[in-house]
Amino acid sequence: MSGEKSVARHAVAVEEYLNTELKLADAELDAGREHARALGLPSIEVSPAQGKMLQLLAQISGARRVLEIGTLAGYSTGWLARGVGPSGKVMTCEFAPLHASVARENLERAGLADRVQILLGVAAESLRDLISRHEPSFDLIFIDADKRNNPVYLELALELSHSGTVLVLDNVVRSGSVISKLPEGSDEAREVEGVQLALRMLGEDSRLEATALQTVGAKGWDGFALARVR
Protein backbone atom coordinates (compact mmCIF):
# COMPACT_ATOMS: atom_id res chain seq x y z
CA MET A 1 0.00 0.00 0.00
CA SER A 2 2.80 2.41 0.84
CA GLY A 3 4.31 1.72 -2.57
CA GLU A 4 1.00 2.55 -4.28
CA LYS A 5 0.75 5.80 -2.33
CA SER A 6 4.30 6.69 -3.34
CA VAL A 7 3.49 6.10 -7.02
CA ALA A 8 0.33 8.21 -6.70
CA ARG A 9 2.25 11.07 -5.08
CA HIS A 10 4.90 10.89 -7.78
CA ALA A 11 2.24 10.92 -10.51
CA VAL A 12 0.72 14.06 -9.01
CA ALA A 13 4.17 15.69 -8.82
CA VAL A 14 4.83 14.80 -12.46
CA GLU A 15 1.49 16.29 -13.47
CA GLU A 16 2.30 19.52 -11.63
CA TYR A 17 5.68 19.61 -13.39
CA LEU A 18 4.06 19.13 -16.80
CA ASN A 19 1.46 21.79 -16.06
CA THR A 20 4.22 24.23 -15.17
CA GLU A 21 6.56 23.42 -18.06
CA LEU A 22 3.75 23.49 -20.63
CA LYS A 23 2.19 26.60 -19.07
CA LEU A 24 -1.24 25.00 -18.84
CA ALA A 25 -2.62 27.41 -16.25
CA ASP A 26 -5.44 29.57 -17.61
CA ALA A 27 -6.26 32.45 -15.28
CA GLU A 28 -9.87 32.93 -16.41
CA LEU A 29 -10.76 29.25 -16.46
CA ASP A 30 -8.91 28.60 -13.18
CA ALA A 31 -10.89 31.41 -11.56
CA GLY A 32 -14.05 29.62 -12.66
CA ARG A 33 -12.93 26.44 -10.97
CA GLU A 34 -12.28 28.29 -7.72
CA HIS A 35 -15.70 29.95 -7.97
CA ALA A 36 -17.30 26.52 -8.36
CA ARG A 37 -15.40 25.21 -5.32
CA ALA A 38 -16.61 28.13 -3.22
CA LEU A 39 -20.20 27.26 -4.11
CA GLY A 40 -19.73 23.60 -3.22
CA LEU A 41 -19.78 22.08 -6.70
CA PRO A 42 -17.98 18.72 -6.96
CA SER A 43 -14.33 18.71 -8.03
CA ILE A 44 -14.82 16.31 -10.93
CA GLU A 45 -13.95 18.46 -13.94
CA VAL A 46 -11.16 17.54 -16.33
CA SER A 47 -7.57 18.41 -15.42
CA PRO A 48 -5.76 21.34 -17.08
CA ALA A 49 -3.85 18.91 -19.29
CA GLN A 50 -7.06 17.18 -20.35
CA GLY A 51 -8.72 20.53 -20.96
CA LYS A 52 -5.85 21.62 -23.18
CA MET A 53 -6.09 18.30 -25.02
CA LEU A 54 -9.76 19.02 -25.78
CA GLN A 55 -8.81 22.46 -27.08
CA LEU A 56 -6.11 20.98 -29.28
CA LEU A 57 -8.41 18.23 -30.58
CA ALA A 58 -10.89 20.91 -31.62
CA GLN A 59 -8.15 22.92 -33.31
CA ILE A 60 -6.47 19.94 -34.99
CA SER A 61 -9.78 18.65 -36.36
CA GLY A 62 -10.81 22.14 -37.46
CA ALA A 63 -13.97 21.90 -35.36
CA ARG A 64 -16.33 24.86 -35.49
CA ARG A 65 -19.33 23.13 -33.94
CA VAL A 66 -18.84 21.21 -30.69
CA LEU A 67 -21.35 19.31 -28.56
CA GLU A 68 -20.61 18.62 -24.90
CA ILE A 69 -22.67 16.32 -22.68
CA GLY A 70 -22.04 17.32 -19.06
CA THR A 71 -21.26 20.99 -18.40
CA LEU A 72 -20.69 21.08 -14.61
CA ALA A 73 -19.17 24.55 -13.96
CA GLY A 74 -18.04 25.11 -17.54
CA TYR A 75 -14.32 24.33 -17.17
CA SER A 76 -14.07 21.82 -20.04
CA THR A 77 -16.63 23.94 -21.90
CA GLY A 78 -14.23 26.88 -21.73
CA TRP A 79 -11.36 24.87 -23.19
CA LEU A 80 -13.62 23.67 -26.02
CA ALA A 81 -14.80 27.23 -26.62
CA ARG A 82 -11.19 28.35 -26.93
CA GLY A 83 -10.70 25.52 -29.42
CA VAL A 84 -13.52 26.51 -31.77
CA GLY A 85 -12.44 30.16 -31.84
CA PRO A 86 -14.56 33.34 -32.02
CA SER A 87 -16.56 32.12 -35.01
CA GLY A 88 -17.28 28.68 -33.54
CA LYS A 89 -20.06 27.37 -31.32
CA VAL A 90 -20.23 24.99 -28.36
CA MET A 91 -23.56 23.50 -27.29
CA THR A 92 -23.40 21.88 -23.86
CA CYS A 93 -25.99 19.83 -21.97
CA GLU A 94 -26.46 20.26 -18.21
CA PHE A 95 -29.13 18.79 -15.93
CA ALA A 96 -28.57 20.81 -12.74
CA PRO A 97 -29.79 24.45 -12.79
CA LEU A 98 -27.11 25.51 -10.27
CA HIS A 99 -24.34 24.03 -12.38
CA ALA A 100 -25.69 25.75 -15.49
CA SER A 101 -25.89 29.09 -13.68
CA VAL A 102 -22.33 28.82 -12.38
CA ALA A 103 -21.11 27.78 -15.83
CA ARG A 104 -22.72 30.86 -17.40
CA GLU A 105 -21.00 33.11 -14.86
CA ASN A 106 -17.65 31.44 -15.43
CA LEU A 107 -17.91 31.60 -19.23
CA GLU A 108 -18.88 35.27 -19.09
CA ARG A 109 -15.88 35.97 -16.84
CA ALA A 110 -13.62 34.23 -19.37
CA GLY A 111 -15.12 36.17 -22.29
CA LEU A 112 -16.43 33.00 -23.92
CA ALA A 113 -20.17 33.15 -23.26
CA ASP A 114 -20.99 34.44 -26.74
CA ARG A 115 -19.81 31.19 -28.34
CA VAL A 116 -21.51 28.79 -25.87
CA GLN A 117 -25.14 27.70 -25.57
CA ILE A 118 -26.15 25.76 -22.45
CA LEU A 119 -29.03 23.31 -22.93
CA LEU A 120 -30.66 22.87 -19.51
CA GLY A 121 -32.49 19.62 -18.80
CA VAL A 122 -32.13 15.87 -19.22
CA ALA A 123 -29.29 15.41 -21.70
CA ALA A 124 -30.91 12.62 -23.71
CA GLU A 125 -34.03 14.75 -24.18
CA SER A 126 -31.91 17.74 -25.25
CA LEU A 127 -30.11 15.57 -27.82
CA ARG A 128 -33.36 14.16 -29.17
CA ASP A 129 -34.68 17.71 -29.49
CA LEU A 130 -31.60 18.68 -31.51
CA ILE A 131 -32.18 15.69 -33.79
CA SER A 132 -35.91 16.40 -34.21
CA ARG A 133 -35.28 19.98 -35.26
CA HIS A 134 -32.54 18.90 -37.68
CA GLU A 135 -29.72 20.73 -35.92
CA PRO A 136 -26.58 20.74 -38.12
CA SER A 137 -24.08 18.01 -37.26
CA PHE A 138 -21.16 18.56 -34.91
CA ASP A 139 -17.44 18.29 -35.62
CA LEU A 140 -16.44 17.18 -32.11
CA ILE A 141 -18.52 15.64 -29.33
CA PHE A 142 -17.33 15.31 -25.71
CA ILE A 143 -19.31 12.90 -23.51
CA ASP A 144 -18.70 13.43 -19.80
CA ALA A 145 -21.96 13.05 -17.86
CA ASP A 146 -23.55 10.18 -15.89
CA LYS A 147 -21.81 7.08 -17.18
CA ARG A 148 -24.76 4.71 -16.94
CA ASN A 149 -26.33 6.55 -19.88
CA ASN A 150 -23.17 6.49 -22.02
CA PRO A 151 -24.69 4.05 -24.55
CA VAL A 152 -27.71 6.35 -25.02
CA TYR A 153 -25.51 9.42 -25.35
CA LEU A 154 -23.21 7.69 -27.81
CA GLU A 155 -26.04 6.48 -30.05
CA LEU A 156 -27.67 9.93 -30.09
CA ALA A 157 -24.28 11.58 -30.65
CA LEU A 158 -23.80 9.46 -33.76
CA GLU A 159 -27.07 10.81 -35.14
CA LEU A 160 -25.62 14.30 -34.67
CA SER A 161 -22.30 13.45 -36.33
CA HIS A 162 -20.87 13.43 -39.83
CA SER A 163 -17.96 11.62 -41.43
CA GLY A 164 -14.86 12.84 -39.61
CA THR A 165 -16.59 13.84 -36.36
CA VAL A 166 -14.32 13.29 -33.34
CA LEU A 167 -15.85 11.65 -30.25
CA VAL A 168 -14.30 11.72 -26.76
CA LEU A 169 -15.68 9.72 -23.83
CA ASP A 170 -14.21 10.51 -20.43
CA ASN A 171 -13.73 8.32 -17.33
CA VAL A 172 -13.62 4.93 -19.03
CA VAL A 173 -11.15 3.25 -16.63
CA ARG A 174 -12.42 4.39 -13.21
CA SER A 175 -9.42 3.22 -11.14
CA GLY A 176 -9.60 -0.14 -12.89
CA SER A 177 -13.20 -0.84 -11.89
CA VAL A 178 -14.08 -1.17 -15.58
CA ILE A 179 -12.84 -4.78 -15.29
CA SER A 180 -13.73 -5.38 -11.63
CA LYS A 181 -16.61 -7.42 -10.22
CA LEU A 182 -18.78 -4.96 -8.32
CA PRO A 183 -21.80 -5.43 -6.01
CA GLU A 184 -24.77 -6.07 -8.28
CA GLY A 185 -27.17 -3.17 -8.40
CA SER A 186 -24.77 -0.67 -6.80
CA ASP A 187 -24.41 2.81 -8.25
CA GLU A 188 -20.83 2.14 -9.29
CA ALA A 189 -21.83 -1.13 -10.96
CA ARG A 190 -24.43 0.71 -13.05
CA GLU A 191 -21.89 3.38 -13.97
CA VAL A 192 -19.33 0.76 -14.97
CA GLU A 193 -21.89 -1.15 -17.01
CA GLY A 194 -22.61 2.05 -18.94
CA VAL A 195 -18.89 2.48 -19.63
CA GLN A 196 -18.50 -1.15 -20.71
CA LEU A 197 -21.47 -1.02 -23.09
CA ALA A 198 -20.19 2.21 -24.64
CA LEU A 199 -16.73 0.74 -25.14
CA ARG A 200 -18.29 -2.33 -26.76
CA MET A 201 -20.24 -0.05 -29.09
CA LEU A 202 -17.05 1.80 -30.03
CA GLY A 203 -15.37 -1.49 -30.86
CA GLU A 204 -18.24 -3.10 -32.76
CA ASP A 205 -19.94 -0.24 -34.59
CA SER A 206 -18.73 -0.21 -38.20
CA ARG A 207 -19.33 3.55 -38.34
CA LEU A 208 -16.47 4.15 -35.91
CA GLU A 209 -12.76 3.64 -35.41
CA ALA A 210 -11.64 4.06 -31.83
CA THR A 211 -8.98 3.69 -29.17
CA ALA A 212 -8.76 4.25 -25.41
CA LEU A 213 -5.91 5.40 -23.18
CA GLN A 214 -5.34 5.12 -19.44
CA THR A 215 -4.33 8.24 -17.52
CA VAL A 216 -2.82 8.83 -14.08
CA GLY A 217 -2.29 12.02 -12.13
CA ALA A 218 -3.99 14.38 -9.70
CA LYS A 219 -7.38 12.96 -10.66
CA GLY A 220 -6.24 9.41 -9.97
CA TRP A 221 -6.21 6.42 -12.32
CA ASP A 222 -8.66 6.78 -15.18
CA GLY A 223 -8.73 7.12 -18.94
CA PHE A 224 -10.64 8.28 -22.01
CA ALA A 225 -11.81 6.82 -25.30
CA LEU A 226 -11.18 8.62 -28.57
CA ALA A 227 -13.10 7.79 -31.75
CA ARG A 228 -13.66 9.10 -35.26
CA VAL A 229 -16.74 8.63 -37.41
CA ARG A 230 -15.75 6.97 -40.65
Side-chain angles (χ1 to χ4, degrees):
M1 184 62 69
S2 61
E4 292 178 5
K5 289 182 179 179
S6 176
V7 169
R9 286 195 298 270
H10 195 60
V12 171
V14 168
E15 182 170 320
E16 292 173 350
Y17 164 76
L18 294 174
N19 289 345
T20 299
E21 290 298 301
L22 296 175
K23 297 177 174 57
L24 297 181
D26 185 296
E28 290 88 359
L29 299 183
D30 290 344
R33 287 204 301 175
E34 293 307 312
H35 179 53
R37 299 285 184 279
L39 294 174
L41 272 65
S43 177
I44 55 174
E45 74 281 341
V46 301
S47 70
Q50 292 166 333
K52 186 69 173 186
M53 182 195 73
L54 291 172
Q55 177 185 322
L56 289 171
L57 283 174
Q59 292 171 328
I60 291 167
S61 64
R64 287 296 173 265
R65 289 178 50 80
V66 168
L67 175 64
E68 178 183 49
I69 304 171
T71 315
L72 193 59
Y75 184 68
S76 54
T77 318
W79 285 107
L80 289 166
R82 292 209 191 286
V84 299
S87 63
K89 183 174 185 179
V90 177
M91 300 184 77
T92 180
C93 303
E94 177 52 51
F95 175 74
L98 175 60
H99 296 178
S101 176
V102 174
R104 287 191 190 97
E105 293 175 14
N106 289 338
L107 291 164
E108 287 170 3
R109 181 187 298 106
L112 299 167
D114 61 338
R115 63 186 83 167
V116 177
Q117 180 181 355
I118 299 175
L119 307 176
L120 182 61
V122 176
E125 293 179 4
S126 295
L127 298 178
R128 292 188 182 103
D129 181 58
L130 293 177
I131 293 167
S132 68
R133 68 180 195 230
H134 305 291
E135 183 74 22
S137 60
F138 294 90
D139 307 310
L140 187 152
I141 300 175
F142 179 44
I143 302 175
D144 188 20
D146 56 307
K147 311 309 172 190
R148 67 190 67 189
N149 282 315
N150 268 356
V152 175
Y153 298 148
L154 180 55
E155 188 59 47
L156 292 172
L158 283 169
E159 293 192 49
L160 291 161
S161 300
H162 56 72
S163 177
T165 293
V166 176
L167 302 171
V168 184
L169 280 73
D170 203 12
N171 308 124
V172 300
V173 175
R174 306 181 68 82
S175 298
S177 63
V178 70
I179 61 168
S180 300
K181 186 171 179 59
L182 300 167
E184 189 173 347
S186 67
D187 286 344
E188 180 62 11
R190 286 191 285 268
E191 297 288 284
V192 166
E193 182 181 13
V195 170
Q196 291 170 332
L197 289 172
L199 288 172
R200 191 169 304 139
M201 290 171 65
L202 290 176
E204 295 179 352
D205 196 314
S206 61
R207 294 171 291 179
L208 295 165
E209 48 187 344
T211 189
L213 298 174
Q214 298 184 76
T215 58
V216 63
K219 297 185 69 63
W221 175 24
D222 213 327
F224 64 91
L226 178 66
R228 178 181 178 276
V229 179
R230 296 182 188 275

